[in-house]
Structure formats: structure tokens, C-alpha cells
Amino acid sequence: MADAKVIPFDDDRSRTGAGKVVPRRRGASGRRKGEPASVREVAPLPGQQDHEPSPPAAAREPDPRERPQAGGGLDRRIAGGLAFLRRRLTGDYDVDEFGYDKELTDQVLMSLVRPLYEKYFRVEVKGIENIPADGGALIVANHSGTLPLDGVMMQVAVHDNHPQNRHLRLLAADLVFMLPVVNELARKAGHTLACAEDAQRLLERGELVGVMPEGFKGIGKPFSERYKLQRFGRGGFVSTALKAGTPIVPCSIVGAEEIYPMIGNAKTLARLLGFPYFPITPTFPWLGPLGAVPLPTKWTIQFGEPIPTDGFPPEAAEDPMLMFNLTDQVREQIQHTLYKLLVQRRSVFF
């Protein structure tokens, strides 16, 4: 098979018409000897004196309707898409030891959830400057919403708003990696099992790691307890940050609590299905699949000031009192910010 010919998309000659001779216009003062006087500029008529003379054709901004449609941007997108498909088919792409596929996440997965982030939930992000420009950091957030959409929205918020477009690697529960399709998508998007070993390895590699210590207690709590933080476990995330010497960034998410108002829990059905809970909402299961559509609430995600951990000695990770104090400090900061954001918001949906 013959080698394909590469067409450079940045060749200016194909767009500016290089090589074409643009005729130069001469005024009356530039008339050559022997040239007829008819080429001199004619004084405008009395009714035309208020109008500015038309600029030369070479200097006049062309009408958009007259511009040639080169389609360079479209060509680039098509070429990029074909190159992406070729790499997918040939296996010429990189995946790290956790299964994270950066190219697939950037070009496909982020593009799929970004309309939900921008148009449906209309997420507003605050305090993005509190996330380090490089190096590891542990982002600790509240968890809510019956389904874990808040983690996905937080991942998009970090990637699309951070000046360095950093990726957030979320720590997920065992159940996520037991579901057939969700398991593969979670691995490809960079998420991994919520265990101290994986979290520490990621932090030491300079990654941003996200954790929601409330777990199922937070995401499955009834609607009557919305925005009331549940127990933060035993402070394992603090121990991991201390061992890696990375800062802890508290994160408060408002808006996720109302997407699926959980008014009941079918515990018997949950046990039969192997789920931690089976939600009953005003629309689910009464409306069937339609009841699984989240309500279009207005979200706010705020990243608080980082809490440094690099000033503690190595043995501090084994001090239960220190871990308890730092865990309580992070929890109180998130809870206080939640209350402040709730007071500031005008409406659940606007």
C-alpha cells in the first residue's frame, strides 16, 4: 500500500491565496507621464461629500459572505478523529497501571458529561486557585445525590477550570468496580479503589486525588438530612495525606442533594439486589426509566484553602489524636462552607 500523502493544515498559501498578484491602485498624484487624464480621481458630487471614500480593495475588510470557506478547523477535527480511531484500533495508546486512559478521557468521556455539567446543572466553580498547579494534593468533598454524579461533576470542574487542566483521580467504593460497564468506564477515567495503598501511590506520583469520606452514608441519606455531613470514617484519608506529605483541599458541593430527593429506602429490595440502599423518590420507581432523570438543579462547587501536612514528622500518621483533629478540621470547614453557600443561593434551580 502506498504511503499516504500528508497535507499540512497550517499552510497559509492555501488560505491567503499566496502567489496571486494583487493589482496596486494609483491616485492622480501617481499618474505616469503620458497617461490619460481620465485615470485621475474625480471629485465627488455634492450629494456624496458627506460620505467617506471607500478603502482600497486590498485594505478593506472582506465581507464574511465573500470569504472563502477553507474549512481548516473542520479538517483538523476530522483528521484528529481519524487519528484517534486509528490509535484505538491498533492499540497505539497509553494506559497507566491503574487503567487510566488519558486520551479517551479527554476526547470522549469528558465530552459526554460536559453538556450535563455546563447546560443542565450549570455548575459554578469557586476557589479553583486553591488547587496546586503541580504536585500531589488530596481533595476531600461531601457526598450526596443518591447517585454519585457529584464526583463526576467535580472531576470536570477541576479539569475545565484549573489553569493547568489537571485531572482528578477519584477513589471509589468496591461496588463501582463490580458493575460490568461502570467498572470499565471508571478505570478508563482514572478512578481507582478507595484504599490507602492506591491513594498514597497516586499522591506520591504528584496526582490530584479526590475522596468523599461519607461514602454510602452520605450519598444514601434521606432528603430530610440534606447538607448535614455524616461521619467521616476513621480519618484514613488524613493518614494517607500525612504519609505522602501532600496538602488537603476541602471541597463543598451544593446542588447535588436535590437531583434525586430520597424520601424512602426499600431495604428488603436493596438486600436482594446487593445494594447498600434502594432509593424511593417522588419520581422513581413510579415513572419507570423517566424517574431516573435527575432534576435540573443549579450547582456550586467551592474549593477551600488547603491544609498543609508537610510540616508534620513521619510518625504523625500513626498519631490517632492528630488524625482525629485534622479530620474534624476538614469536616467543619466543609460544613461551614455548605451553610454559607446555602444562604447565598437564590433558588434550588436558578
Side-chain angles (χ1 to χ4, degrees):
M1 181 175 179
D3 294 338
K5 181 180 180 181
V6 179
I7 303 177
F9 292 114
D10 57 349
D11 193 347
D12 293 334
R13 292 175 299 176
S14 63
R15 295 192 295 270
T16 60
K20 295 177 60 177
V21 178
V22 180
R24 300 181 60 184
R25 302 181 63 183
R26 298 190 301 272
S29 60
R31 181 170 61 91
R32 297 176 182 175
K33 183 177 180 181
E35 190 176 29
S38 58
V39 300
R40 295 183 179 180
E41 294 182 349
V42 181
L45 296 176
Q48 298 176 336
Q49 291 180 356
D50 296 335
H51 298 282
E52 293 291 335
S54 300
R60 180 171 56 89
E61 179 68 20
D63 191 314
R65 293 169 297 182
E66 301 174 356
R67 295 174 183 172
Q69 302 297 323
L74 179 60
D75 290 344
R76 286 192 181 92
R77 289 195 294 269
I78 294 176
L82 292 176
F84 173 79
L85 290 176
R86 179 186 61 79
R87 289 191 295 271
R88 293 287 116 184
L89 294 175
T90 60
D92 184 20
Y93 57 90
D94 296 327
V95 176
D96 72 3
E97 57 185 306
F98 297 95
Y100 172 48
D101 189 335
K102 183 179 184 300
E103 184 184 46
L104 182 68
T105 301
D106 285 343
Q107 299 194 24
V108 178
L109 300 183
M110 285 287 182
S111 300
L112 291 176
V113 299
R114 191 169 284 119
L116 191 67
Y117 171 89
E118 294 179 346
K119 306 298 183 182
Y120 198 77
F121 294 136
R122 296 146 291 148
V123 180
E124 178 183 0
V125 178
K126 299 180 179 181
I128 195 68
E129 67 277 2
N130 291 318
I131 299 178
D134 51 25
L138 183 66
I139 299 179
V140 183
N142 59 305
H143 205 13
S144 62
T146 305
L147 290 181
L149 296 180
D150 50 358
V152 178
M153 296 299 105
M154 184 170 64
Q155 185 182 19
V156 181
V158 172
H159 179 268
D160 287 4
N161 292 274
H162 196 277
Q164 307 300 325
N165 299 119
R166 301 199 66 182
H167 285 273
L168 180 64
R169 312 288 294 268
L170 291 173
L171 303 179
D174 299 4
L175 180 61
V176 173
F177 300 101
M178 294 171 59
L179 302 175
V181 178
V182 177
N183 171 30
E184 291 297 325
L185 292 178
R187 290 289 185 186
K188 294 291 186 182
H191 311 327
T192 188
L193 193 64
C195 64
E197 292 78 11
D198 286 358
Q200 185 172 348
R201 286 162 61 194
L202 287 171
L203 289 173
E204 291 175 347
R205 282 170 39 176
E207 300 280 359
L208 285 181
V209 178
V211 62
M212 296 173 165
E214 292 176 281
F216 291 123
K217 299 188 300 295
I219 197 174
K221 64 178 179 287
F223 187 67
S224 59
E225 298 181 14
R226 60 192 179 278
Y227 298 114
K228 296 179 181 178
L229 293 183
Q230 305 298 302
R231 185 171 174 268
F232 264 27
R234 301 177 182 178
F237 68 92
V238 171
S239 175
T240 302
L242 286 171
K243 291 178 181 178
T246 55
I248 301 173
V249 181
C251 176
S252 302
I253 303 174
V254 166
E257 293 274 16
E258 294 90 359
I259 60 173
Y260 296 111
M262 186 170 166
I263 58 177
N265 181 13
K267 296 181 179 180
T268 302
L269 185 56
R271 285 195 298 268
L272 291 175
L273 296 175
F275 295 157
Y277 56 88
F278 189 88
I280 297 176
T281 73
T283 59
F284 183 83
W286 327 113
L287 299 182
L290 186 62
V293 177
L295 297 178
T297 59
K298 176 72 171 62
W299 286 36
T300 302
I301 300 179
Q302 179 162 337
F303 299 96
E305 294 185 4
I307 301 172
T309 63
D310 54 354
F312 295 96
E315 61 272 13
E318 307 299 330
D319 186 350
M321 186 57 66
L322 176 61
M323 286 194 297
F324 174 80
N325 290 335
L326 286 176
T327 301
D328 191 60
Q329 179 182 352
V330 174
R331 186 179 182 278
E332 287 300 319
Q333 187 169 339
I334 295 174
Q335 184 70 82
H336 176 74
T337 305
L338 286 175
Y339 287 149
K340 183 176 67 174
L341 293 175
L342 289 171
V343 171
Q344 292 174 354
R345 76 171 177 176
R346 298 173 299 170
S347 167
V348 173
F349 300 100
F350 304 102

